[in-house]
Amino acid sequence: MTSRIGRALDGVTRVRGLQGAMLVSLDDGLVVADALMEGVRGNAMAALAASLANRLSLASASSGIGAPQFLHLQADHGVLLAVPGPEVTLLVCVGGADVNVGLARLEMLRAVEKMG
Amino acid sequence: MVADIKAMTAEMARDPDSLVFLQLGEALRVLGNLDAAVKVAMAGCERHSDHADAHDLLARVFVDAGNFDAAHEEWERALQLEERHVGAHKGMGFLLYRLDELDSALDHLETALATDPTDESVVQALRTVRAAAEPSEADITAARASGEIRADVFAGFDGAEEGILLVDGQGRVLGGGVRNASGEDVAAEVAAYLAGAAQEAERAARLLELGVWRAIAVEAPDGHLHVSQPRQGTFLLIKRDRAVPPGRVALLAQRAAAAARTWLQAEER
């Protein structure tokens, strides 16, 4: 993991309520880099997030609104958030149900910018 | 209250088989002494396992303690013992309302009201759940005024034929419609992709221990998508352009989900 990507991921995880951030390859759902709290299942999170993003991209593109720029899966006990990363990657975050999604979104978009 | 609790505790000590545990457990629950209330209610359930009120009491204590699964089990047990137990039907109505299973919640509350038409708390609960389950009066009035009421699931909703879609678990269109920027009908294609995405959302939420998924919001250059489950295995898509704030899209989705549930229920009759 380059220090630039690591710093960007660390910045995202400072958002209160987020339990981790990771950069995932969209093609195969593998972890490129991560900054996760202990107990977060990184490999599963990467694979599931990539698969969900790919399927939502199909629905999004076919409905005529273009490729997703931000995804928010809201569940009873938490959220899964994703934005497109550099090249064919996805920046994915997982957090509690009370996380400030607006703030997390901003930090994720900033992080992707920093990753270049 | 404290004196009452002392007297009831003394009564229980004198006669462990006494049904006074029902009042004692309830008093402790109301006071917020949940540990003691659980002990009393569990002991009561052990001694009077075939008494529906005992399980109802334990369920209410579990709800106060935030243990909704356990409460669900106890109310189910109470209903096995007494099919028309008002407290258990009220409780199940509350739990199902929390899970957004409004039709099932209404079933329980209506049974409770039929059993005890004087219970004001049931009337109030029914009012709340019915309001959540139906499209607003303003929508219905506006639709009637413009003569737009159709035999359509989303009649009266703005964009019902180009930006609201109801899909079954197999990816088939149930109602509404979606058109792309060129005005082409893309409902069937979107429905197929949507069902796959929703199944993936269910899998992700379960395996990442996030609980039941409630919604997926997608932000894209030319619009927003909002996906939800009006009920298990049925998916609702709302598509709006970027000018509509995501929060408003979510509110519209709630109203459309209520309309979808009403329509699905009517279709099943």
Side-chain angles (χ1 to χ4, degrees):
Chain A
M1 174 166 63
T2 70
S3 59
R4 190 178 48 177
I5 290 176
R7 276 197 304 273
L9 291 177
D10 284 340
V12 177
T13 58
R14 279 198 277 274
V15 174
R16 196 174 165 195
L18 282 184
Q19 292 150 5
M22 68 192 331
L23 198 62
V24 175
S25 161
L26 254 178
D27 289 336
D28 50 23
L30 295 177
V31 179
V32 176
D34 66 27
L36 300 173
M37 282 172 64
E38 208 171 319
V40 178
R41 298 161 64 193
N43 290 336
M45 179 172 146
L48 292 164
S51 176
L52 178 63
N54 282 324
R55 285 167 189 263
L56 284 170
S57 290
L58 295 170
S60 175
S62 62
S63 69
I65 63 169
Q69 292 175 325
F70 177 64
L71 303 179
H72 171 197
L73 171 66
Q74 181 193 339
D76 278 352
H77 307 312
V79 296
L80 184 73
L81 310 172
V83 299
E87 299 175 19
V88 193
T89 60
L90 192 66
L91 172 58
V92 181
C93 289
V94 67
D98 57 346
V99 72
N100 180 335
V101 173
L103 183 60
R105 173 184 171 278
L106 284 178
E107 290 299 332
M108 290 171 77
L109 293 172
R110 277 189 198 132
V112 169
E113 266 182 31
K114 284 180 199 163
M115 290 174 192
Chain B
M1 179 76 94
V2 174
D4 291 344
I5 287 173
K6 279 186 182 164
M8 288 188 278
T9 307
E11 166 69 14
M12 286 297 299
R14 265 196 308 277
D15 177 11
D17 283 327
S18 167
L19 289 176
V20 78
F21 79 91
L22 292 168
Q23 289 102 304
L24 176 59
E26 177 64 8
L28 291 165
R29 182 187 75 83
V30 170
L31 282 175
N33 191 347
L34 297 181
D35 288 346
V38 165
K39 279 183 193 159
V40 168
M42 284 184 115
C45 279
E46 275 174 27
R47 279 187 180 273
H48 306 275
S49 61
D50 57 352
H51 201 307
D53 286 347
H55 295 280
D56 178 40
L57 169 66
L58 184 54
R60 278 181 278 124
V61 177
F62 277 143
V63 163
D64 284 7
N67 192 346
F68 298 106
D69 289 344
H72 188 274
E73 277 179 29
E74 291 305 319
W75 272 321
E76 265 190 342
R77 179 79 185 117
L79 289 175
Q80 283 164 3
L81 293 165
E82 194 179 319
E83 204 180 330
R84 296 181 75 81
H85 191 281
V86 173
H89 279 295
K90 262 165 59 176
M92 290 294 272
F94 164 74
L95 290 180
L96 291 162
Y97 173 67
R98 258 190 93 250
L99 294 171
D100 209 28
E101 291 180 24
L102 301 183
D103 291 338
S104 303
L106 283 171
D107 286 347
H108 280 288
L109 292 171
E110 278 161 0
T111 306
L113 190 65
T115 307
D116 182 6
T118 63
D119 191 328
E120 197 51 45
S121 66
V122 177
V123 175
Q124 185 54 47
L126 262 174
R127 213 171 276 153
T128 304
V129 179
R130 280 183 183 145
E134 287 171 10
S136 75
E137 281 301 313
D139 289 329
I140 294 166
T141 308
R144 281 189 181 135
S146 58
E148 283 177 356
I149 289 236
R150 295 159 300 184
D152 186 7
V153 55
F154 301 116
F157 281 83
D158 187 29
E161 289 173 7
E162 61 265 359
I164 308 182
L165 188 66
L166 189 65
V167 175
D168 73 9
Q170 282 77 48
R172 295 172 298 200
V173 175
L174 290 170
V178 178
R179 291 184 183 277
N180 64 16
S182 316
E184 292 168 307
D185 180 356
V186 290
E189 189 181 343
V190 172
Y193 291 136
L194 185 65
Q199 282 154 9
E200 202 59 37
E202 190 278 327
R203 198 166 144 247
R206 179 166 42 84
L207 294 174
L208 295 175
E209 296 174 355
L210 299 176
V212 177
W213 76 273
R214 297 294 171 193
I216 309 166
V218 177
E219 197 180 303
D222 298 319
H224 300 286
L225 298 182
H226 186 283
V227 184
S228 57
Q229 278 189 100
R231 70 179 192 190
Q232 198 167 10
T234 307
F235 311 114
L236 173 72
L237 173 85
I238 304 289
K239 176 196 164 193
R240 285 295 181 269
D241 67 36
R242 285 294 289 259
V244 183
R248 278 185 58 193
V249 178
L251 287 174
L252 171 64
Q254 282 178 16
R255 290 197 296 112
R261 279 189 289 270
T262 304
W263 181 82
L264 286 163
Q265 198 175 25
E267 284 293 299
E268 285 167 356
R269 281 183 194 140

